[in-house]
Amino acid sequence: MSFLLRAALVIGTLSYFALRKDGSPPALPAPPTLAGSVPALSEALPAAFNALPPEARERIAREGLAELTRRLSVPPSHDTLAEADRRPSWRGAEAR
């Protein structure tokens, strides 16, 4: 695994320096500004949910509520014993 990490590091370093033929760092394009074009998440989610057909909204709500109820009602079990392990075949000394 360390060989793969070292190989990736060497290849990445060589690729970086290949882009820097003249000694200056490669120019990166400016990231696009999305401040005005994307609405806030608190506005976008209800709008997307309301854009769905009524049948799809009902199904999503029904399945989501069923999954939430299932997860809240049954705590996860961390027990690794089988039912047969809980009932040993004998208890104490055998009858004579």
Side-chain angles (χ1 to χ4, degrees):
M1 183 69 178
S2 64
F3 171 76
L4 294 176
L5 293 175
R6 284 184 285 168
L9 180 64
V10 168
I11 291 171
T13 304
L14 291 176
S15 299
Y16 176 76
F17 286 125
L19 292 174
R20 294 183 51 190
K21 291 178 185 175
D22 61 350
S24 63
L28 299 175
T33 57
L34 301 174
S37 63
V38 176
L41 188 60
S42 62
E43 299 169 2
L45 286 178
F49 185 73
N50 291 333
L52 293 172
E55 300 85 24
R57 280 186 280 174
E58 289 175 20
R59 185 176 56 97
I60 289 172
R62 194 174 342 105
E63 289 177 3
L65 183 60
E67 181 67 20
L68 183 63
T69 304
R70 185 185 66 79
R71 287 183 184 233
L72 291 177
S73 65
V74 179
S77 175
H78 299 290
D79 189 10
T80 58
L81 294 175
E83 195 62 37
D85 295 333
R86 293 190 185 106
R87 289 192 211 113
S89 57
W90 59 273
R91 291 183 186 252
E94 293 185 32
R96 294 183 184 201

